[in-house]
Amino acid sequence: MPDSITSAIVAEHGLAPEEYARVLHALGREPNLTELGIFSVMWSEHCSYKSSRVHLKKLPTAAPWVIQGPGENAGVIDIGEGPNGTKLAAIFKMESHNHPSYIEPYQGAATGVGGILRDVFTMGARPVANLNALRFGRPDHPKMRHLIAGVVAGIGGYGNCVGVPTVGGEVNFHRAYDGNILVNAMTVGIAEQDKIFYSAAAGVGNPVVYVGSKTGRDGIHGATMASADFSEDSEEKRPTVQVGDPFTEKLLIEACLELMASDAIVAIQDMGAAGLTSSSVEMASKGGVGLELDMNAVPCREARMTPYEMMLSESQERMLMVLKPGREAEAEALFRKWELDFAVIGKVTDTGRLVLTWNGETAADIPLAPLADEAPCYERPWVETPKPAPLPAVPESTDIAADLLKLMASPDLASRRWIWEQYDHMVGADTVQRPGGDAAVVRVHGTDKALAITTDVTPRYCYADPYEGGKQAIAEAYRNLCAVGATPLAATDCLNFGNPQRPEIMGQLVGCIHGMAEACRALGMPIVSGNVSLYNETKSEDGTGSAILPTPAIGAVGLIEDWRKSATIAFKAKGEYLWLIGADVLGGHLGQSLWLREIVGREEGPPPPVDLAGEAAAGAFVGWLIKEGLVSAVHDVSDGGVLVAVAEMALAGGIGAEIWPANSSDQSSEQPNSMAAALFGEGQGRYLVALREPLHLNPMAFDAGTRAMMLGQTGFRSGLTGEDGIWIEGAYADLEAFIPLNDLRRAHEGFFPALMGGG
């Protein structure tokens, strides 16, 4: 241990000179290395949110059904009555594990899943579903196959072994993620409302206990690494990536839930980012108490570990608890039964300080207030993202069939079957809808209820216009929940951005949060938990940064009263009537569309505007149609527009369709008389539904505050070949097309096997 703290050591710990001056003021002296390490992780961007806290306060977090908003391990919402009159809650959160997954994709992704599982079962919930939101760079980038394979294997390897189904998610590709992929993990659990556990330590003299795995040297400085730009030496940071053990996690889940069935626990916190440091500091600061910890009592798996290493290690599968006095032996017997470590490592004090002892001496003595509530909070300079120029004239589609086949085979729209078939999405036997639809649907065991869960964001929209992109991210999540028949309730977020010290990046963050907040208020879907991941960019040798696209990933949860009435995207029968529903049902917006990028080769123009009142009205109307049993299939219209939505519904059901775009494109807001705009435009707030009966939806939709228009019918077989497919009736220069379903399926299913198999 160095005799004194040099400026180089301070810099290595990620503290700015002015922040170190605050450390000196807080302590009234120079820190030792252990104290410096504790300040460095607690004041890191990853733990303190020092660049985003002032803006996160703008997000709505409350509603009558919200039991716990941001500030705890996860958010909690009321989902009504369970078996035997119990009151149930859904507990959920999304977090990032971006930098670790780029450095070591298998363990980075696996421990991301493990960490978010602990956030949820720490609060007393049994996890029932995992989801993920993944962003990769160009598929032909030299590292990308390795990264995709490792991340997918890590997610599957951990989730499958721990016995929690992975039921949904999203995967996108863009060159902006070449040097900094994103791995965002979400877990949802269910608990009884009177058995929810919180993290605030209480009771002077109460024992502080450590449970789970032993502490090793893996993950030291993980939080600091996650709060800095990448550089060319990122491979050297491999030791900062944690190593996970899903079998131990499974034992830890069962042991914690068993102890929670008693009344022995006062407070509980998982050891996530910053390990024992963050868990002890957060528990004490939330409870307004102090902690005294004996570092000699910490279970270690490596010899001669120092207090510095023990406090900063991010070894996985560990928890910190405060127990009621006298319950130690009972708790220890339980954890030993599950073959887990258990140790009393300290006690609650009334000092308001974190005191560490080691070998009979004081290893650290820090006031808690500066570590937590008084951590640095910056209002960083920011500049508003310039509004994109209007989209200039674009070429018309000359071959509708070729365009659709190319889109369905493109990286952002191709089937994700290769990915989700590596995940166990049925374990627990409560998965109602598998991956591939608008939202996952998971039964609430022992009831008729189900939770609908989705993850959504469109980063290219956020880059072009952060405000509209932020609105769209919330609206898309809302729409996906409505499309399966759920009442949207609340959301969690994972805000992935570049370096906040660059005003243009900070402007992206501010703009996205502004749009998100407005959409959350308009759609009644508050943010109850979340995570901020900044510094997602890679420095080149000249010191310039290449940032990711702004990616405020949204995870949303809704409630279905009867899971049997949930809607799916698959066509069910021939001869049903296809209708478009939405306030802007006629609109065809090509700016920032996938058609413009994949077919024309341009990324430009404004993203589609989001009419929040229109979103609410259309969502409510579609929800009513589903509850009344009037529709057999529902799909929201998003990436790729109406024709891609039709193709996805047809492939899901193995039934073709005939559509008449002349009905829908002659009033396109962006490209009048344009077949491309009608078929591939990405106007928001729209749903495609299949009606069982020939109802006239126009007046019904009008009464509900939205619009409806017939688009076609399900079922079409070529008179020449006898093949099922999609027929587009000619309009505008007599463009017409027939695309066989077999051709669509080959295009749609081919991308990932070819990429990952090397063929």
Side-chain angles (χ1 to χ4, degrees):
M1 184 177 293
D3 293 331
S4 62
I5 302 299
T6 66
S7 59
I9 293 174
V10 171
E12 287 174 5
H13 283 75
L15 291 172
E18 60 272 19
E19 291 175 338
Y20 184 61
R22 292 183 59 170
V23 172
L24 296 176
H25 177 74
L27 292 177
R29 56 175 170 81
E30 187 177 80
N32 62 37
L33 188 63
T34 300
E35 292 167 336
L36 180 70
I38 290 171
F39 271 102
S40 76
V41 293
M42 290 308 300
W43 286 7
S44 69
E45 195 74 63
H46 193 75
C47 291
S48 73
Y49 296 168
K50 58 190 174 187
S51 296
S52 57
R53 289 211 309 271
V54 296
H55 301 288
L56 294 174
K57 294 176 182 177
K58 302 170 186 174
L59 293 169
T61 59
W65 51 89
V66 173
I67 296 171
Q68 175 65 54
E72 267 294 339
N73 287 293
V76 185
I77 58 172
D78 182 352
I79 58 170
E81 193 167 304
N84 304 317
T86 58
K87 295 293 185 180
L88 298 181
I91 300 179
F92 60 97
K93 191 180 183 183
M94 178 187 281
E95 281 203 341
S96 61
H97 231 222
N98 303 333
H99 287 186
S101 299
Y102 183 83
I103 296 169
E104 211 303 299
Y106 184 93
Q107 289 296 347
T111 53
V113 173
I116 197 63
L117 281 165
R118 287 194 300 279
D119 278 338
V120 168
F121 76 74
T122 296
M123 298 197 69
R126 178 168 292 280
V128 297
N130 287 333
L131 295 90
N132 51 75
L134 312 177
R135 262 81 198 179
F136 296 106
R138 292 166 295 173
D140 58 357
H141 186 279
K143 288 194 68 167
M144 219 45 62
R145 272 183 63 193
H146 162 70
L147 291 170
I148 296 167
V151 165
V152 171
I155 291 170
Y158 205 101
N160 295 354
C161 291
V162 86
V164 178
T166 300
V167 297
E170 54 178 348
V171 184
N172 290 124
F173 295 83
H174 193 277
R175 63 184 179 276
Y177 305 103
D178 280 355
N180 199 129
I181 64 172
L182 301 185
V183 175
N184 296 170
M186 178 180 178
T187 293
V188 182
I190 295 175
E192 295 182 17
Q193 290 184 22
D194 60 353
K195 296 179 181 176
I196 295 171
F197 290 81
Y198 298 94
S199 59
V204 173
N206 280 351
V208 177
V209 301
Y210 170 121
V211 301
S213 291
K214 288 180 168 63
T215 295
R217 290 190 171 96
D218 54 323
I220 293 174
H221 286 304
T224 307
M225 179 268 292
S227 304
D229 297 331
F230 271 164
S231 58
E232 301 301 322
D233 65 350
S234 61
E235 290 297 321
E236 298 175 11
K237 296 179 179 177
R238 191 177 298 272
T240 63
V241 179
Q242 311 94 322
V243 177
D245 179 356
F247 299 104
T248 299
E249 181 99 338
K250 175 61 174 173
L251 298 177
L252 188 60
I253 291 173
E254 299 305 327
C256 287
L257 292 178
E258 185 174 337
L259 186 61
M260 287 168 171
S262 73
D263 63 347
I265 298 174
V266 175
I268 181 170
Q269 174 78 41
D270 83 293
M271 296 190 210
L276 186 52
T277 290
S278 63
S279 55
S280 56
V281 170
E282 289 172 10
M283 291 181 80
S285 61
K286 288 177 184 176
V289 296
L291 291 184
E292 183 177 313
L293 304 181
D294 176 6
M295 304 310 292
N296 293 96
V298 174
C300 294
R301 67 168 181 261
E302 299 183 43
R304 295 182 296 279
M305 287 190 69
T306 65
Y308 177 93
E309 293 171 321
M310 293 180 222
M311 291 302 290
L312 270 61
S313 168
E314 293 185 5
S315 294
Q316 297 292 285
E317 294 87 41
R318 303 179 300 157
M319 311 284 273
L320 196 65
M321 298 181 182
V322 174
L323 298 182
K324 291 181 178 178
R327 307 299 291 271
E328 298 94 325
E330 170 192 345
E332 181 172 8
L334 191 156
F335 279 92
R336 299 294 183 195
K337 180 188 75 172
W338 289 100
E339 301 180 347
L340 296 166
D341 274 278
F342 177 97
V344 177
I345 66 168
K347 63 182 180 181
V348 177
T349 70
D350 61 359
T351 64
R353 303 180 74 86
L354 177 66
V355 178
L356 312 180
T357 61
W358 189 49
N359 295 336
E361 298 181 354
T362 299
D365 185 350
I366 307 174
L368 283 159
L371 285 175
D373 297 337
E374 298 172 15
C377 183
Y378 299 132
E379 293 196 43
R380 297 200 185 274
W382 60 276
V383 294
E384 186 174 353
T385 303
K387 295 292 183 184
L391 185 66
V394 297
E396 178 55 274
S397 175
T398 57
D399 191 333
I400 295 294
D403 288 359
L404 178 61
L405 288 169
K406 186 172 182 179
L407 280 173
M408 295 296 285
S410 67
D412 278 2
L413 287 176
S415 169
R416 273 69 176 125
R417 184 185 303 277
W418 180 89
I419 293 178
W420 60 257
E421 283 189 342
Q422 298 185 53
Y423 304 151
D424 188 338
H425 46 272
M426 298 302 291
V427 63
D430 282 322
T431 304
V432 175
Q433 286 200 36
R434 305 180 182 192
D438 283 322
V441 179
V442 178
R443 287 187 304 178
V444 178
H445 200 76
T447 76
D448 291 333
K449 301 175 191 284
L451 297 179
I453 318 162
T454 186
T455 60
D456 295 288
V457 66
T458 311
R460 64 183 186 276
Y461 293 174
C462 296
Y463 181 76
D465 186 331
Y467 168 68
E468 285 294 337
K471 285 169 59 180
Q472 193 273 344
I474 296 293
E476 172 81 0
Y478 175 90
R479 203 181 312 137
N480 281 340
L481 297 179
C482 291
V484 297
T487 300
L489 292 177
T492 182
D493 60 32
C494 195
L495 306 180
N496 307 272
F497 291 82
N499 186 337
Q501 296 176 62
R502 295 168 58 193
E504 67 274 20
I505 299 296
M506 198 65 210
Q508 293 174 349
L509 176 63
V510 172
C512 284
I513 289 176
H514 180 196
M516 289 167 54
E518 187 171 323
C520 286
R521 283 189 290 269
L523 300 175
M525 199 165 72
I527 302 289
V528 297
S529 60
N531 171 237
V532 180
S533 175
L534 304 180
Y535 295 96
N536 287 291
E537 57 184 73
T538 303
K539 282 185 178 177
S540 57
E541 291 182 359
D542 63 4
T544 58
S546 176
I548 63 165
L549 300 182
T551 311
I554 303 300
V557 175
L559 184 65
I560 301 173
E561 290 297 336
D562 185 346
W563 63 267
R564 302 170 193 82
K565 294 183 178 180
S566 63
T568 70
I569 71 170
F571 289 153
K572 308 298 188 301
K574 296 179 180 180
E576 297 190 337
Y577 302 89
L578 295 180
W579 284 77
L580 266 172
I581 294 171
D584 189 26
V585 72
L586 296 173
H589 188 102
L590 289 175
Q592 299 298 328
S593 67
L594 284 184
W595 181 85
L596 188 69
R597 188 181 81 190
E598 298 294 330
I599 307 301
V600 185
R602 287 156 52 182
E603 297 180 57
E604 56 187 273
V610 178
D611 173 1
L612 293 172
E615 290 277 3
F621 182 55
V622 168
W624 178 80
L625 290 173
I626 294 170
K627 288 181 178 65
E628 293 297 315
L630 299 175
V631 291
S632 64
V634 181
H635 194 9
D636 85 306
V637 178
S638 54
D639 286 350
V642 169
L643 189 53
V644 165
V646 172
E648 290 171 340
M649 298 175 83
L651 288 174
I655 296 172
E658 177 180 2
I659 64 173
W660 316 310
N663 289 348
S664 61
S665 59
D666 57 352
Q667 298 184 49
S668 168
S669 61
E670 193 173 339
Q671 293 291 322
N673 301 323
S674 163
M675 182 72 92
L679 294 177
F680 302 117
E682 296 179 5
Q684 297 294 293
R686 299 186 295 167
Y687 300 80
L688 189 61
V689 303
L691 286 185
R692 294 186 172 94
E693 303 294 335
L695 298 174
H696 194 50
L697 280 191
N698 284 343
M700 300 164 68
F702 181 80
D703 289 344
T706 188
R707 301 177 68 181
M709 180 186 60
M710 184 178 284
L711 182 69
Q713 281 187 286
T714 61
F716 189 86
R717 187 178 291 271
S718 168
L720 298 175
T721 65
E723 289 186 275
D724 281 323
I726 297 174
W727 169 258
I728 298 103
E729 184 181 272
Y732 315 123
D734 292 326
L735 277 175
E736 58 187 26
F738 175 73
I739 307 100
L741 284 190
N742 286 336
D743 291 355
L744 270 176
R745 185 166 282 108
R746 277 192 295 272
H748 191 49
E749 298 284 350
F751 170 75
F752 272 104
L755 174 66
M756 303 311 296

